[in-house]
Amino acid sequence: MRPLLISVGSRGDVQPFLALARGLLAAGHRPVLAAPRRFQPLAAGYGVEFVPLSDEMFTLQDSVKGQGVRAAITAARSVRPMLRRLLDDQAALAARPADVVVYHPKSLGGPYVAEKLGVPALAGLLIPLYVPTSAFPSPIFPVRPPGPLNRASWRVAAAVEAPYRSTIRRWRTEALGLQDGFTPLADLVKTGSVLHAWSPHLLPAPAGWPPSARPIGFWTMPANDTWNPPERLAHFLDQGEPPVYVGFGSSSTGDPELLTAAVLEGARLAGRRAVLATGWGALRPGAVADDVLVIEEAPHDWLLPRVAVAVHHGGVGTVAAALRAGVPQVVRPLLGDQPFWADRLHHLGVAPEPLRGRLTAARLAAALENAAELAPTARMLAGHVGAEDGVTAAVARIADCAGSRT
């Protein structure tokens, strides 16, 4: 089987597709992963065939983070030509043989490449986006609506795509030669095949979802047994009690110095050592005390099992890593689907109430103390999540989908 995998976005969007590609390779298939050029070295390290896509849009996003509304508006004027170049790179994929296409909706072009190839398409969703339910609102809906409006909130995914629809329609005709029958991406996903790649122990399928929409488990990279921590990190961990981990991944805030000050003082008030991962700049520490270690990043599967509490933004990739590590979590959600997962973790009993609004040292210290009491529940849930194999389940579904074509 020759699966074509297309993912676009940050590392949190691409790494699960790389895990899926490795699973397909291990099962004897010949996957190709198409993703932004910046991830080519990552794929090469795992022996996955890789096709680079334009990453201009994401470089632009990186450059305007934290620079205010005016910079964002100026950058937005450049998005359409960049999007067209990204789509053109995807159109070139149609020249490759493939039996099935698995795509991230952020690619925008994935299902139309499958249409050109005449092969089945599967949407790989790392969070629920398109299959509606009245049980809970869309995770990306900006506010929490009254219960009766939950189902209506799921229209937001189509609204996010709508500004680019004319560009996609034109590209579909000009680059792929597909003249008739254009269907918006949101409708294609809703009526087509989908792989929901999160743990059912984190969020089970609500009543009313078809069996094909049930979550199959996280797409997780195998533990990297060859990674060696920097000596200063290994030494810090060995010096005393497990520290708290604080990291906000690729998220950013308007005032990283203020957030960092609250984090440092909150850890001190709670009597905790801390490892701060600066990531993409949400934290910007200067000089720190001896009981704080600052790093840029470290593999979550290595570091999180060695900490007492994970403090983070609520991105589903970090949520998954902390669940597998069996550590309680403290979540300061910043945007998008993060408030949704923060509420879900609190409901499951592995995190105190989310720290919405302005983060203060006192609030963080209290949350750290509350989180420590949730460690037994976190360890129990880790046993359930660790027993799942979302990649193997996805490989079987993909094989069935490709096989149904022949």
Side-chain angles (χ1 to χ4, degrees):
M1 184 173 62
R2 295 168 298 186
L4 172 60
L5 315 182
I6 308 175
S7 185
V8 167
S10 68
R11 181 163 179 163
D13 298 302
V14 173
Q15 185 163 299
F17 278 75
L18 179 57
L20 177 59
R22 292 191 79 250
L24 287 160
L25 270 176
H29 304 297
R30 293 173 288 165
V32 173
L33 173 62
R37 183 171 285 105
R38 65 180 64 185
F39 298 108
Q40 188 158 13
L42 181 65
Y46 289 98
V48 171
E49 186 177 352
F50 185 87
V51 177
L53 303 177
S54 170
D55 58 5
E56 292 176 293
M57 290 175 61
F58 312 105
T59 301
L60 181 66
Q61 289 174 6
D62 297 347
S63 69
V64 300
K65 277 186 176 179
Q67 294 189 23
V69 174
R70 180 176 296 179
I73 292 173
T74 301
R77 295 171 185 153
S78 307
V79 165
R80 287 187 185 277
M82 290 182 180
L83 173 60
R84 179 58 192 255
R85 288 189 285 272
L86 172 63
L87 290 169
D88 285 343
D89 282 353
Q90 293 178 62
L93 298 171
R96 292 173 162 267
D99 300 305
V100 62
V101 173
V102 183
Y103 65 94
H104 193 304
K106 283 186 182 179
S107 72
L108 296 176
Y112 308 109
V113 172
E115 182 183 0
K116 176 65 175 178
L117 287 165
V119 301
L122 288 152
L125 300 185
L126 310 179
I127 66 172
L129 281 176
Y130 295 100
V131 184
T133 177
S134 58
F136 50 82
S138 167
I140 63 170
F141 200 70
V143 296
R144 186 183 299 175
L149 297 180
N150 278 349
R151 181 171 288 272
S153 73
W154 290 80
R155 297 172 189 162
V156 70
V160 170
E161 169 212 345
Y164 310 110
R165 201 166 287 161
S166 61
T167 301
I168 297 167
R169 183 194 295 267
R170 190 178 310 113
W171 163 79
R172 179 181 173 273
T173 299
E174 295 174 352
L176 294 176
L178 299 169
Q179 301 297 325
D180 301 317
F182 172 77
T183 303
L185 185 144
D187 294 335
L188 287 173
V189 177
K190 192 161 49 177
T191 59
S193 297
V194 64
L195 297 170
H196 278 155
W198 66 82
S199 168
H201 286 96
L202 172 62
L203 181 68
W209 274 13
S212 61
R214 291 173 183 161
I216 57 177
F218 295 116
W219 295 349
T220 304
M221 295 291 287
N224 188 349
D225 296 330
T226 64
W227 188 78
N228 292 313
E231 184 176 345
R232 65 191 188 95
L233 174 57
H235 178 69
F236 183 82
L237 293 172
D238 289 340
Q239 276 185 321
E241 293 295 317
V244 299
Y245 164 85
V246 185
F248 297 93
S250 58
S251 296
S252 59
T253 62
D255 195 336
E257 286 84 4
L258 185 64
L259 177 62
T260 303
V263 164
L264 292 173
E265 180 63 9
R268 188 193 68 79
L269 290 174
R272 293 283 191 173
R273 303 190 313 139
V275 173
L276 270 59
T278 56
W280 285 18
L283 296 172
R284 195 176 295 165
V288 295
D290 291 342
D291 59 355
V292 175
L293 180 71
V294 177
I295 61 174
E296 183 176 350
E297 62 178 0
H300 282 160
D301 63 349
W302 186 92
L303 179 56
L304 294 190
R306 293 169 167 81
V307 305
V309 179
V311 181
H312 60 89
H313 55 304
V316 72
T318 308
V319 167
L323 286 175
R324 291 192 302 272
V327 295
Q329 306 176 50
V330 171
V331 185
R332 167 58 175 96
L334 297 171
L335 49 81
D337 58 309
Q338 296 164 10
F340 177 85
W341 297 119
D343 286 335
R344 188 66 196 157
L345 293 171
H346 178 53
H347 174 79
L348 292 173
V350 296
E353 288 191 21
L355 296 174
R356 291 185 170 87
R358 180 171 173 266
L359 182 66
T360 66
R363 291 179 67 206
L364 177 58
L368 289 173
E369 293 175 4
N370 292 339
E373 300 174 2
L374 305 176
T377 303
R379 287 192 294 268
M380 180 183 67
L381 190 56
H384 297 308
V385 174
E388 299 167 352
D389 190 344
V391 166
T392 296
V395 169
R397 286 275 305 279
I398 293 167
D400 287 345
C401 186
S404 66
R405 173 176 169 242
T406 59

